[in-house]
Amino acid sequence: MPEHDLIVIGAGPGGYVAAIRAAQLGLNVGIVEKEAALGGTCVRVGCIPSKALLESSERYAEAKHGLDVHGIQLGEVGLDLAAMMERKDAVVKANTDGVAFLMKKNGVTRYAGTARITGPGTVVVHGQEGGDDDAQELAAEHVLIATGSKVATLPGVEIDGEVVVDSTGALAFDQVPGHLVVIGAGYIGLELGSVWQRLGAEVTVLEYLDRVLPGMDAEIAKEAQKTFAKQGMTFRLGSKVTGVQVKGRGKKKRAVIQVEGEEPVEADRVLLAVGRTPNTADLGLDDVGVELDERGRIKVDEAFRTTAKGFYAIGDVIAGPMLAHKAEEDGVAAVERIVTGAGHVDYGLVPGIVYTEPEIATVGKTEEALKEEGVPYVKGVFPYQANGRARAMDRTGGKVKILAHADTDRLLGVHIIGAHAGDLIAEAVTAMTFGASAEDVARTVHAHPTLSEIVKEAALAAGGASLHI
């Protein structure tokens, strides 16, 4: 029986990063992954392929509609969807190969198959055949569960992988849908809806709530909806989808989406994007006393320890944002706790990014949360339109919004919609991590001309002293 100091179940961003860090700290590490390629949902069928298609579709849209202002004239712009998909697949392979290389480089032993916990410090790996003869038993002092999440379902909506798809299916259409209906106006729905809208699909977004991007700052979300509507997306908010029927055969198949109290909606393709749920089934958790909370997540303490001795959990299977970078930080903190006794993740400072055009990025408290909590605050806002670099780029839509404590000036939240928002938010995360004030950011030298000056000006505005507006 192979023995390790640590066995990691799941080779997604949380799992493989935890394995690397544990190996760096001197542990003998084994990692179990059921998929042939390493990297988890994020690298294989999530973050990476979606960003590849977002990048390609944005360039296509710009070539068709956005270069005239720069004095660049093109002939008819065509779409080779197959080539775009090939590029996406190549980007994914480069990343999964990279993860496999990192495992070898750091001396992490990879086990291919499905893991099941059978007792204290014991994990059985079943290979592709799934029988007892194909099983291998592993032993370790510590077992880290990093099995990620899966697509959340909706009553009455059955994913068939052809007409009704999840996010994985929406990354692999072989033709641009005439009409795509997206159920859910969160990060995933808006990103993938943007991809196909740019490539020529009519896109309708059905959202149960009365707003898009639930949980994000309402002012920023409202501007995002207006922007996407101008780009061509149709939004139907407050719409409760009760079922989807697929009618017709072959290429004539179409979906009929039933919406409570409204006329049915017909579409060529339907994307179900109503969130994700933890992957905790069939792991053998009950057999060793690992408890779940009311939402099916594994209960852990501040050291990522479960209710069973020697078992730990990170990433999407525990509480906190279901984001790849959060899982990575969990993984590092968990193994550092095991080896050194120290390790921590501040979930209040995990940034969220929507990779649409414009991008949307957020960290910290929203304005609504501060009002609800009765926290006194000041707000500083600065538009992209007043920034020289944004004008030069012809990317003048958007704003940076900074929320600071009214008494201490300490940064409480930063919310951005605009070009490269996902990169700009890093400054805010760093500043907030070190307890900076709005004045600290405002008095920091920012190079000119750059988009980062918008962050500086918003910080100045929080103190009532913007310079360029």
Side-chain angles (χ1 to χ4, degrees), residues 82-98:
M84 188 178 289
M85 290 296 175
E86 286 178 8
R87 176 187 176 273
K88 177 259 296 181
D89 293 340
V91 170
V92 170
K93 187 176 186 305
N95 280 271
T96 57
D97 287 351

PDB file of all heavy atoms in Angstrom, residues 82-98:
ATOM      1  N   ALA A  82     -14.658  26.880 -36.166  1.00  0.00           N
ATOM      2  CA  ALA A  82     -13.855  25.686 -35.894  1.00  0.00           C
ATOM      3  C   ALA A  82     -12.439  26.058 -35.488  1.00  0.00           C
ATOM      4  O   ALA A  82     -11.868  25.480 -34.553  1.00  0.00           O
ATOM      5  CB  ALA A  82     -13.843  24.767 -37.111  1.00  0.00           C
ATOM      6  N   ALA A  83     -11.852  27.032 -36.194  1.00  0.00           N
ATOM      7  CA  ALA A  83     -10.494  27.473 -35.853  1.00  0.00           C
ATOM      8  C   ALA A  83     -10.467  28.137 -34.483  1.00  0.00           C
ATOM      9  O   ALA A  83      -9.507  27.972 -33.720  1.00  0.00           O
ATOM     10  CB  ALA A  83      -9.985  28.437 -36.924  1.00  0.00           C
ATOM     11  N   MET A  84     -11.523  28.891 -34.165  1.00  0.00           N
ATOM     12  CA  MET A  84     -11.601  29.530 -32.851  1.00  0.00           C
ATOM     13  C   MET A  84     -11.659  28.473 -31.750  1.00  0.00           C
ATOM     14  O   MET A  84     -11.000  28.614 -30.709  1.00  0.00           O
ATOM     15  CB  MET A  84     -12.843  30.437 -32.787  1.00  0.00           C
ATOM     16  CG  MET A  84     -12.927  31.299 -31.547  1.00  0.00           C
ATOM     17  SD  MET A  84     -14.389  32.392 -31.536  1.00  0.00           S
ATOM     18  CE  MET A  84     -13.941  33.574 -32.817  1.00  0.00           C
ATOM     19  N   MET A  85     -12.418  27.414 -31.992  1.00  0.00           N
ATOM     20  CA  MET A  85     -12.517  26.339 -31.018  1.00  0.00           C
ATOM     21  C   MET A  85     -11.200  25.579 -30.896  1.00  0.00           C
ATOM     22  O   MET A  85     -10.812  25.161 -29.799  1.00  0.00           O
ATOM     23  CB  MET A  85     -13.646  25.388 -31.398  1.00  0.00           C
ATOM     24  CG  MET A  85     -15.028  25.976 -31.229  1.00  0.00           C
ATOM     25  SD  MET A  85     -15.386  26.339 -29.476  1.00  0.00           S
ATOM     26  CE  MET A  85     -17.000  27.133 -29.638  1.00  0.00           C
ATOM     27  N   GLU A  86     -10.505  25.400 -32.013  1.00  0.00           N
ATOM     28  CA  GLU A  86      -9.198  24.734 -31.976  1.00  0.00           C
ATOM     29  C   GLU A  86      -8.210  25.529 -31.130  1.00  0.00           C
ATOM     30  O   GLU A  86      -7.432  24.962 -30.365  1.00  0.00           O
ATOM     31  CB  GLU A  86      -8.661  24.555 -33.391  1.00  0.00           C
ATOM     32  CG  GLU A  86      -9.360  23.463 -34.182  1.00  0.00           C
ATOM     33  CD  GLU A  86      -8.820  23.356 -35.593  1.00  0.00           C
ATOM     34  OE1 GLU A  86      -7.791  24.033 -35.896  1.00  0.00           O
ATOM     35  OE2 GLU A  86      -9.407  22.616 -36.401  1.00  0.00           O
ATOM     36  N   ARG A  87      -8.236  26.843 -31.282  1.00  0.00           N
ATOM     37  CA  ARG A  87      -7.358  27.679 -30.462  1.00  0.00           C
ATOM     38  C   ARG A  87      -7.709  27.542 -28.984  1.00  0.00           C
ATOM     39  O   ARG A  87      -6.824  27.397 -28.134  1.00  0.00           O
ATOM     40  CB  ARG A  87      -7.468  29.145 -30.876  1.00  0.00           C
ATOM     41  CG  ARG A  87      -6.641  30.060 -29.965  1.00  0.00           C
ATOM     42  CD  ARG A  87      -6.855  31.535 -30.251  1.00  0.00           C
ATOM     43  NE  ARG A  87      -6.115  32.312 -29.276  1.00  0.00           N
ATOM     44  CZ  ARG A  87      -6.575  32.682 -28.075  1.00  0.00           C
ATOM     45  NH1 ARG A  87      -7.812  32.342 -27.714  1.00  0.00           N
ATOM     46  NH2 ARG A  87      -5.825  33.386 -27.246  1.00  0.00           N
ATOM     47  N   LYS A  88      -9.007  27.562 -28.693  1.00  0.00           N
ATOM     48  CA  LYS A  88      -9.452  27.390 -27.308  1.00  0.00           C
ATOM     49  C   LYS A  88      -8.946  26.077 -26.725  1.00  0.00           C
ATOM     50  O   LYS A  88      -8.418  26.023 -25.607  1.00  0.00           O
ATOM     51  CB  LYS A  88     -10.978  27.456 -27.250  1.00  0.00           C
ATOM     52  CG  LYS A  88     -11.597  27.233 -25.884  1.00  0.00           C
ATOM     53  CD  LYS A  88     -12.154  25.841 -25.723  1.00  0.00           C
ATOM     54  CE  LYS A  88     -13.300  25.566 -26.667  1.00  0.00           C
ATOM     55  NZ  LYS A  88     -13.853  24.206 -26.491  1.00  0.00           N
ATOM     56  N   ASP A  89      -9.070  25.008 -27.502  1.00  0.00           N
ATOM     57  CA  ASP A  89      -8.615  23.699 -27.034  1.00  0.00           C
ATOM     58  C   ASP A  89      -7.102  23.670 -26.829  1.00  0.00           C
ATOM     59  O   ASP A  89      -6.596  23.033 -25.890  1.00  0.00           O
ATOM     60  CB  ASP A  89      -9.025  22.612 -28.024  1.00  0.00           C
ATOM     61  CG  ASP A  89     -10.540  22.409 -28.079  1.00  0.00           C
ATOM     62  OD1 ASP A  89     -11.224  22.811 -27.121  1.00  0.00           O
ATOM     63  OD2 ASP A  89     -11.020  21.850 -29.080  1.00  0.00           O
ATOM     64  N   ALA A  90      -6.369  24.363 -27.704  1.00  0.00           N
ATOM     65  CA  ALA A  90      -4.904  24.415 -27.570  1.00  0.00           C
ATOM     66  C   ALA A  90      -4.496  25.173 -26.303  1.00  0.00           C
ATOM     67  O   ALA A  90      -3.538  24.788 -25.617  1.00  0.00           O
ATOM     68  CB  ALA A  90      -4.291  25.076 -28.805  1.00  0.00           C
ATOM     69  N   VAL A  91      -5.229  26.232 -25.996  1.00  0.00           N
ATOM     70  CA  VAL A  91      -4.952  26.990 -24.771  1.00  0.00           C
ATOM     71  C   VAL A  91      -5.200  26.115 -23.544  1.00  0.00           C
ATOM     72  O   VAL A  91      -4.402  26.096 -22.599  1.00  0.00           O
ATOM     73  CB  VAL A  91      -5.832  28.258 -24.713  1.00  0.00           C
ATOM     74  CG1 VAL A  91      -5.729  28.932 -23.343  1.00  0.00           C
ATOM     75  CG2 VAL A  91      -5.431  29.246 -25.806  1.00  0.00           C
ATOM     76  N   VAL A  92      -6.294  25.353 -23.574  1.00  0.00           N
ATOM     77  CA  VAL A  92      -6.605  24.450 -22.466  1.00  0.00           C
ATOM     78  C   VAL A  92      -5.513  23.400 -22.306  1.00  0.00           C
ATOM     79  O   VAL A  92      -5.035  23.138 -21.192  1.00  0.00           O
ATOM     80  CB  VAL A  92      -7.973  23.771 -22.689  1.00  0.00           C
ATOM     81  CG1 VAL A  92      -8.188  22.648 -21.679  1.00  0.00           C
ATOM     82  CG2 VAL A  92      -9.092  24.793 -22.584  1.00  0.00           C
ATOM     83  N   LYS A  93      -5.097  22.793 -23.422  1.00  0.00           N
ATOM     84  CA  LYS A  93      -4.069  21.748 -23.354  1.00  0.00           C
ATOM     85  C   LYS A  93      -2.754  22.281 -22.794  1.00  0.00           C
ATOM     86  O   LYS A  93      -2.076  21.609 -22.007  1.00  0.00           O
ATOM     87  CB  LYS A  93      -3.830  21.121 -24.724  1.00  0.00           C
ATOM     88  CG  LYS A  93      -2.902  19.907 -24.690  1.00  0.00           C
ATOM     89  CD  LYS A  93      -2.764  19.254 -26.036  1.00  0.00           C
ATOM     90  CE  LYS A  93      -1.958  17.956 -25.930  1.00  0.00           C
ATOM     91  NZ  LYS A  93      -0.641  18.119 -25.312  1.00  0.00           N
ATOM     92  N   ALA A  94      -2.386  23.492 -23.198  1.00  0.00           N
ATOM     93  CA  ALA A  94      -1.149  24.083 -22.680  1.00  0.00           C
ATOM     94  C   ALA A  94      -1.220  24.229 -21.165  1.00  0.00           C
ATOM     95  O   ALA A  94      -0.230  23.993 -20.458  1.00  0.00           O
ATOM     96  CB  ALA A  94      -0.899  25.435 -23.331  1.00  0.00           C
ATOM     97  N   ASN A  95      -2.395  24.579 -20.662  1.00  0.00           N
ATOM     98  CA  ASN A  95      -2.550  24.746 -19.219  1.00  0.00           C
ATOM     99  C   ASN A  95      -2.597  23.413 -18.486  1.00  0.00           C
ATOM    100  O   ASN A  95      -1.986  23.253 -17.422  1.00  0.00           O
ATOM    101  CB  ASN A  95      -3.809  25.571 -18.921  1.00  0.00           C
ATOM    102  CG  ASN A  95      -3.591  27.049 -19.095  1.00  0.00           C
ATOM    103  OD1 ASN A  95      -3.200  27.744 -18.172  1.00  0.00           O
ATOM    104  ND2 ASN A  95      -3.829  27.548 -20.297  1.00  0.00           N
ATOM    105  N   THR A  96      -3.327  22.434 -19.012  1.00  0.00           N
ATOM    106  CA  THR A  96      -3.384  21.125 -18.343  1.00  0.00           C
ATOM    107  C   THR A  96      -2.023  20.436 -18.389  1.00  0.00           C
ATOM    108  O   THR A  96      -1.615  19.809 -17.410  1.00  0.00           O
ATOM    109  CB  THR A  96      -4.451  20.222 -18.981  1.00  0.00           C
ATOM    110  OG1 THR A  96      -4.190  20.064 -20.384  1.00  0.00           O
ATOM    111  CG2 THR A  96      -5.848  20.807 -18.783  1.00  0.00           C
ATOM    112  N   ASP A  97      -1.325  20.572 -19.506  1.00  0.00           N
ATOM    113  CA  ASP A  97       0.035  20.027 -19.581  1.00  0.00           C
ATOM    114  C   ASP A  97       0.942  20.713 -18.568  1.00  0.00           C
ATOM    115  O   ASP A  97       1.825  20.084 -17.972  1.00  0.00           O
ATOM    116  CB  ASP A  97       0.612  20.204 -20.991  1.00  0.00           C
ATOM    117  CG  ASP A  97      -0.017  19.265 -22.008  1.00  0.00           C
ATOM    118  OD1 ASP A  97      -0.777  18.365 -21.600  1.00  0.00           O
ATOM    119  OD2 ASP A  97       0.249  19.441 -23.215  1.00  0.00           O
ATOM    120  N   GLY A  98       0.711  22.007 -18.378  1.00  0.00           N
ATOM    121  CA  GLY A  98       1.506  22.755 -17.406  1.00  0.00           C
ATOM    122  C   GLY A  98       1.301  22.254 -15.988  1.00  0.00           C
ATOM    123  O   GLY A  98       2.254  22.143 -15.205  1.00  0.00           O
TER     124      GLY A  98
END
